[in-house]
Amino acid sequence: LAQIRTRATLAVDCLEKEMLEQKKHVSRIRKWLIAQKDYWFCMAPEQRKLIAQALVQHCILPRAILSASDAIFCAKFLWMMHYPLATNKFSLMIVYDNIFGDSLSTLLAALTESEARNYAKFLNISLTFLAPLHLQEAQYKERAVNAWRGLTSFQKHSRYKRGYLPPKSRTIRLQTPSAPAADSGDALRIVPGSIMLSHDDFRTVMRKWQVNLTKAFICTLDSERNDTVRNGIMALREMQKTFPVISQYGRRILDKVTEIADGSRSTSGEGSAGGPPDSNKNLKVMATSYGAYLGMAKKGWIPESSYYPVQAKDALPRSPHPSNPQSSGKPAARAS
C-alpha cells in the first residue's frame, strides 16, 4: 500500500509539473500570436476574398481532414483569429462563406471515410460557434461586431489598403465595459467608413449556409456511388447537433435517408477507388440508425420563418440536375 501511495504521489507531482510547463508554453504562444497577428495579412491585396480562398485551400482544408484533433484545432484557431485576436484584414465571414459553399458535395465525394468524418467535425464545431450569434443579438454584438474590441471579421464593406497596420490591440484580456465610448478600447483599429454586418443580415447569411449544406448533402445522398453516400451519412452523423436545424430542410434530408434505408435508391455497385465495393446492407444499417435519430430530433427543428423571418426567393431544388457532375458522386474537373 505504501508503494502504491508513493507511485501515486510521484504521478501527481509529475502531472502538476507538466501542467505548469504547459501553462507557460500557452502563455508564450498567446503573446507571440498577439504580437504577430497584425502582420499575417498586412501585405495582402485589398480583396479579402483572395485571402479567405488561400487560407481555406492551403491551411484549413489540408489539416482539418487529417484527424479529429486537427479538425478541432482548425475550427477553434479560426474562431480565435476573429475573437479575441481581431486579426488585421481577416474576414471570418468570407472564410466561412468559402467553407459552407457549393463545393461541399464534390469535396465529400473525394474524401475517404476518415477524412469525411474529420471534416464534418470541423464543420460541426464551426457551426457551434455561430449558433449563439444567430440566436441572440446581444451575443452577436459582443462577439461579432464589438467595435470596442476592434473586431472586423463581420464587416459588410471594408477599406483596408495594402500594407495597413492598425494600432496595437489593448483589449484582448479585458472585459467589455457596459457602456464603452465610441472611440475607446480598440475602436481606432477599425478603418473609418467600414460598415458592419447587421444581425438581420447575419441571419440571412446563416440561412444561406443552411441551404448550401442541405443542397450538398442531398446531392451526396443522391449519388450512385456507395462510398459517396457513406461519406454523406457519416458526415451528417458527426454534425447531428448543429445540422439540420430548419424543419423544411431536415425533412428533405430525412426523406433521402429513408430512401437509402428502404433500399429504394439506385447504385452503380462501385466502392471507393482501389478498394472493395461497399455493402448495401451496411448502408441501410447506417441510414436506419441516422434516420431514427432524425425522427427524434425533428421535434427540436424550427420553421424557416423562425430561423429567418423574411422568406428568401431561392428555393431548394427537388433533385440535383442530371448534368451536375456532383450528382454522380465524382469530383468535378478543375478549371484550367
Side-chain angles (χ1 to χ4, degrees), residues 172-240:
I172 291 180
R173 298 185 178 91
L174 303 178
Q175 293 289 335
T176 305
S178 57
D183 57 347
S184 63
D186 286 332
L188 295 179
R189 288 174 56 87
I190 302 176
V191 174
S194 301
I195 302 176
M196 296 297 176
L197 202 69
S198 68
H199 188 242
D200 287 340
D201 289 339
F202 172 70
R203 296 177 69 192
T204 303
V205 175
M206 283 287 289
R207 185 248 175 208
K208 183 188 76 171
W209 291 341
Q210 290 285 323
V211 171
N212 289 345
L213 286 171
T214 305
K215 289 180 179 180
F217 280 114
I218 288 178
C219 186
T220 302
L221 297 178
D222 266 341
S223 172
E224 295 180 355
R225 293 179 59 92
N226 286 343
D227 55 342
T228 302
V229 177
R230 178 186 293 272
N231 285 356
I233 296 177
M234 293 176 65
L236 284 168
R237 289 170 60 180
E238 196 67 44
M239 300 174 63
Q240 62 187 19

Side-chain angles (χ1 to χ4, degrees), residues 240 243-245 290-302:
Q240 62 187 19
F243 178 83
V245 295
Y290 180 65
Y293 168 80
L294 286 180
M296 295 184 295
K298 66 181 181 180
K299 298 178 181 178
W301 294 343
I302 60 176

Side-chain angles (χ1 to χ4, degrees), residues 5 25 30 32 36 41 55 72 106 109 111 126 131 157 193 216 218 258 285 295 308-309 328:
R5 184 181 294 108
H25 176 69
R30 286 185 180 276
W32 181 86
Q36 296 293 323
F41 308 120
L55 186 64
I72 295 172
T106 305
L111 298 178
S126 299
H157 300 290
I218 288 178
T258 303
V285 172
Y308 171 63
S328 63

